[in-house]
Amino acid sequence: MKRIFSVLIIFCVFACAVFFTGCQDVIFAKIMGEVELEDATITGRVNTIVRCKLGTQEYLFIQNGRVYGKPASSASHGDWNLMSDGLPKLSYDYYNKKFNGIYIYQLAATENTLYALGAEIEENTEEGENIAGSRYLYYFNGSTWIRCNGEVTGTSGNTTTIFCTNTIAAANRTAYLRRNGTVSKLSDSPSSSTYIDSAATTTTAYIPGASTVSVVYGSDNKLYFFDSCSAAYTTYVYWASGSTLKYLNIATTTVGDSVSCSTNITSIAATSDAIILGTKGRGLEKTTNTSGVPGSSLTSFSTNADSALGSPYIIPAMLCIDSAASETGATLYASADFKRKSSTSGGNYKDIGLWSYYPSRGNWNRE
């Protein structure tokens, strides 16, 4: 009996040693894989990340209620500059119990002009939540923002939005305003009274409509409008259909279904070897890119993308600076948000804002 008991003790000690060694290996692996996060310089909800030329220099712009910009060539933390001259800053008047100023919630760019869409904020005392009021369109003249004449507020149930092709080639950049179900092309050289160029049109089957929110400039020099997020890579066009990634091969007119996520896809960025998907509550996910054809299943990241921006984050916007580069060789941007109403969401308020991946840094981090 004593011999059996001694054997059991030895076995338990050995098993515990193996178990705790395994746990320590996992813990140390996580510690070694952790990335020290930068203090965020761009916080708040970022819905758009757009390219636009200022003179001869290429810039990136984002909005989070205000507008920030930096040279597109910049690949380091903290290079963003406030570029909101002429935009009335949102503030709250406690004495009169009302908001003043404008909240900028969308950007779009043509070859030479950057547009911003903003809303007045009204206090809803009955529901206890603030609501968007009148909408206004602005354009940047190189030094200050100019408000276009009149409101662009939509009727009830018709939220006004702007969007653009956001192409690497500046000459292929066009921007659009959707208001009350009608999509209009914005002027490349606007004035406060003349900013609509024409009705939006295309010769493809992917026409603009009452729910259009994005557009792709294809390799065939044609426009493809979508009611969801979209992106392009060589001769391929990608868009979301709920939680499924769909794709079109322009060269062969082949349409296919690719990978399905467990929740809706909210943004797409294509690199030469991967298609990165922003989701509604599952953060960043990805599939392979084989000469433009997306994979049929999700694959693991070799970077810290999923640990930095996993569940419960919503990814409203993404941008790949050069889609000809590989996933780890490309400069990438993504914005993060989460549903704040849930006390058990697991999100960190410090993570709400803009994130980036720089090849020289080799990881995702806060901007």
Side-chain angles (χ1 to χ4, degrees), residues 47-128:
N47 294 316
T48 45
I49 311 164
V50 301
R51 303 175 172 95
C52 189
K53 282 195 314 180
L54 289 184
T56 59
Q57 188 169 14
E58 185 81 348
Y59 271 77
L60 298 179
F61 291 93
I62 62 94
Q63 51 59 233
N64 61 351
R66 305 293 278 163
V67 178
Y68 290 81
K70 74 169 186 175
S73 59
S74 168
S76 60
H77 177 75
D79 283 352
W80 295 90
N81 296 300
L82 181 64
M83 302 181 77
S84 295
D85 288 348
L87 295 173
K89 186 177 181 180
L90 188 68
S91 62
Y92 186 72
D93 183 342
Y94 286 93
Y95 183 78
N96 293 306
K97 294 184 178 180
K98 68 172 186 175
F99 287 94
N100 296 312
I102 294 290
Y103 180 88
I104 302 300
Y105 66 93
Q106 208 81 37
L107 300 176
T110 65
E111 180 179 2
N112 298 297
T113 301
L114 178 67
Y115 285 91
L117 184 60
E120 292 179 340
I121 303 299
E122 299 174 356
E123 189 174 30
N124 187 339
T125 55
E126 293 183 1
E127 299 294 331

Side-chain angles (χ1 to χ4, degrees), residues 252-271:
T252 63
T253 67
T254 301
V255 177
D257 288 350
S258 175
V259 66
S260 288
C261 300
S262 56
T263 186
N264 283 354
I265 298 168
T266 53
S267 53
I268 305 168
T271 70

Side-chain angles (χ1 to χ4, degrees), residues 30-38 304 361-365:
K30 287 186 175 181
I31 291 173
M32 294 298 291
E34 284 181 356
V35 173
E36 184 177 357
L37 295 179
E38 301 272 10
N304 67 325
R361 188 176 59 197
N363 60 64
W364 283 89
N365 214 316

Side-chain angles (χ1 to χ4, degrees), residues 210-243:
S211 301
T212 299
V213 294
S214 72
V215 59
V216 166
Y217 185 89
S219 59
D220 56 354
N221 303 321
K222 297 179 181 179
L223 296 170
Y224 296 77
F225 292 88
F226 296 99
D227 295 352
S228 62
C229 59
S230 57
Y233 174 79
T234 62
T235 63
Y236 286 79
V237 172
Y238 311 102
W239 70 98
S241 177
S243 61

Side-chain angles (χ1 to χ4, degrees), residues 281 310-313 338-349:
S311 179
Y313 294 106
F338 67 92
K339 293 182 179 178
R340 301 169 184 75
K341 289 186 177 180
S342 174
S343 59
T344 59
S345 67
N348 186 340
Y349 284 101

Side-chain angles (χ1 to χ4, degrees), residues 17-353:
V18 171
F19 174 77
F20 285 112
T21 299
C23 287
Q24 286 179 339
D25 286 344
V26 172
I27 292 170
F28 281 121
K30 287 186 175 181
I31 291 173
M32 294 298 291
E34 284 181 356
V35 173
E36 184 177 357
L37 295 179
E38 301 272 10
D39 292 329
T41 59
I42 300 296
T43 60
R45 175 86 176 198
V46 175
N47 294 316
T48 45
I49 311 164
V50 301
R51 303 175 172 95
C52 189
K53 282 195 314 180
L54 289 184
T56 59
Q57 188 169 14
E58 185 81 348
Y59 271 77
L60 298 179
F61 291 93
I62 62 94
Q63 51 59 233
N64 61 351
R66 305 293 278 163
V67 178
Y68 290 81
K70 74 169 186 175
S73 59
S74 168
S76 60
H77 177 75
D79 283 352
W80 295 90
N81 296 300
L82 181 64
M83 302 181 77
S84 295
D85 288 348
L87 295 173
K89 186 177 181 180
L90 188 68
S91 62
Y92 186 72
D93 183 342
Y94 286 93
Y95 183 78
N96 293 306
K97 294 184 178 180
K98 68 172 186 175
F99 287 94
N100 296 312
I102 294 290
Y103 180 88
I104 302 300
Y105 66 93
Q106 208 81 37
L107 300 176
T110 65
E111 180 179 2
N112 298 297
T113 301
L114 178 67
Y115 285 91
L117 184 60
E120 292 179 340
I121 303 299
E122 299 174 356
E123 189 174 30
N124 187 339
T125 55
E126 293 183 1
E127 299 294 331
E129 293 184 357
N130 302 322
I131 58 174
S134 298
R135 317 294 172 104
Y136 298 94
L137 185 67
Y138 297 80
Y139 68 90
F140 192 61
N141 69 0
S143 59
T144 191
W145 289 91
I146 308 295
R147 195 178 92 174
C148 298
N149 292 348
E151 296 182 17
V152 292
T153 311
T155 56
S156 179
N158 288 288
T159 302
T160 303
T161 190
I162 56 176
F163 53 92
C164 59
T165 54
N166 213 16
T167 54
I168 294 175
N172 298 331
R173 293 175 191 162
T174 50
Y176 301 87
L177 167 74
R178 193 200 73 207
R179 179 188 180 198
N180 293 333
T182 299
V183 180
S184 302
K185 183 181 179 182
L186 292 170
S187 173
D188 188 43
S189 54
S191 67
S192 57
S193 59
T194 308
Y195 54 89
I196 297 297
D197 183 280
S198 61
T201 60
T202 181
T203 57
T204 71
Y206 299 81
I207 61 175
S211 301
T212 299
V213 294
S214 72
V215 59
V216 166
Y217 185 89
S219 59
D220 56 354
N221 303 321
K222 297 179 181 179
L223 296 170
Y224 296 77
F225 292 88
F226 296 99
D227 295 352
S228 62
C229 59
S230 57
Y233 174 79
T234 62
T235 63
Y236 286 79
V237 172
Y238 311 102
W239 70 98
S241 177
S243 61
T244 300
L245 178 66
K246 296 182 73 70
Y247 66 95
L248 163 70
N249 183 343
I250 295 173
T252 63
T253 67
T254 301
V255 177
D257 288 350
S258 175
V259 66
S260 288
C261 300
S262 56
T263 186
N264 283 354
I265 298 168
T266 53
S267 53
I268 305 168
T271 70
S272 64
D273 60 356
I275 299 172
I276 305 173
L277 307 171
T279 67
K280 188 177 182 179
R282 299 286 295 180
L284 292 176
E285 296 187 331
K286 82 163 187 177
T287 189
T288 55
N289 179 2
T290 305
S291 300
V293 179
S296 58
S297 61
L298 296 173
T299 56
S300 299
F301 285 97
S302 61
T303 66
N304 67 325
D306 50 352
S307 59
L309 291 174
S311 179
Y313 294 106
I314 303 166
I315 311 297
M318 278 197 293
L319 179 67
C320 175
I321 296 300
D322 182 7
S323 60
S326 65
E327 178 200 347
T328 55
T331 296
L332 296 158
Y333 294 93
S335 61
D337 198 356
F338 67 92
K339 293 182 179 178
R340 301 169 184 75
K341 289 186 177 180
S342 174
S343 59
T344 59
S345 67
N348 186 340
Y349 284 101
K350 293 181 179 180
D351 292 340
I352 298 175

